[in-house]
């Protein structure tokens, strides 16, 4: 059934409501327009990625133990008997 066929059985209040919902749907989801919210999200994502990735390119002396992965800590890893 076509859209016009469905609308002829509606009361005037229902028809107004359907038209409002239809206009709202088109305005929110179907119109192409620049989105400043999406731009802010992309900027925030780029900054967050930069803050997490860029420091990994540098040798950070304080972030790990010098003897890590080189010596065994027998108090933490007791030998299996």
């Amino acid at each position: 059934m076509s859209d016009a066929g469905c609308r002829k059985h509606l009361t005037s209040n229902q028809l107004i409501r359907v038209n409002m919902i239809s206009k709202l749907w088109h305005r929110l989801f179907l119109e192409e327009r620049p989105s400043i919210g999406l731009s802010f999200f992309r900027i925030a994502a780029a900054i967050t990625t930069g803050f997490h990735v860029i420091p990994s390119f540098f040798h950070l002396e304080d972030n790990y133990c010098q003897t890590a992965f080189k010596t065994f800590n027998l108090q933490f890893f007791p030998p299996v008997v």
Side-chain angles (χ1 to χ4, degrees), residues 35-68:
S35 173
I36 194 158
L38 182 59
S39 299
F40 285 142
F41 171 76
R42 288 178 176 168
I43 291 169
I47 290 170
T48 304
T49 303
F51 278 135
H52 285 85
V53 172
I54 291 173
S56 67
F57 295 132
F58 302 108
H59 181 71
L60 301 175
E61 198 75 32
D62 297 338
N63 286 351
Y64 64 93
C65 181
Q66 291 292 330
T67 60

Side-chain angles (χ1 to χ4, degrees), residues 18-45:
V18 167
N19 285 336
M20 286 175 41
I21 292 171
S22 177
K23 288 178 185 177
L24 180 65
W25 180 265
H26 283 279
R27 186 171 57 89
L28 292 176
F29 301 110
L30 300 178
E31 287 181 5
E32 291 187 22
R33 62 190 181 282
S35 173
I36 194 158
L38 182 59
S39 299
F40 285 142
F41 171 76
R42 288 178 176 168
I43 291 169

